[in-house]
Amino acid sequence: MDNDDTTPLASDEDVADADDILFAHPPRVVTRWLCGCGEDYPCPDVRFAQLVKSARVSNTG
C-alpha cells in the first residue's frame, strides 16, 4: 500500500490557521466554588436566602 496516493485531511493553510488558534486559545486553570447542592456557588436558593436576609422592611405607619 502506497501512502503517496492519499488526500490530506487539511490543507497547509488550515494547519497554519489551527496553529494560530491553538496559540491564541491556551488552556487555563479555573477555580470556582461549588454549593453544597452541587451547583455553582451561589445557587439560586442561596441568592434568594441572601436577598431575604439583606432586605429591610420599614414601618410606614
Side-chain angles (χ1 to χ4, degrees):
M1 181 173 212
D2 189 7
N3 287 339
D4 293 337
D5 301 357
T6 61
T7 304
L9 181 62
S11 69
D12 291 340
E13 184 178 346
D14 290 338
V15 172
D17 289 345
D19 287 337
D20 292 342
I21 290 169
L22 292 173
F23 179 78
H25 297 266
R28 60 187 174 116
V29 176
V30 177
T31 303
R32 64 180 201 197
W33 288 27
L34 291 179
C35 189
C37 66
E39 292 189 35
D40 287 338
Y41 186 85
C43 71
D45 290 341
V46 170
R47 286 192 184 270
F48 177 75
Q50 289 171 336
L51 176 67
V52 169
K53 295 281 287 182
S54 66
R56 291 194 172 96
V57 179
S58 62
N59 189 357
T60 60

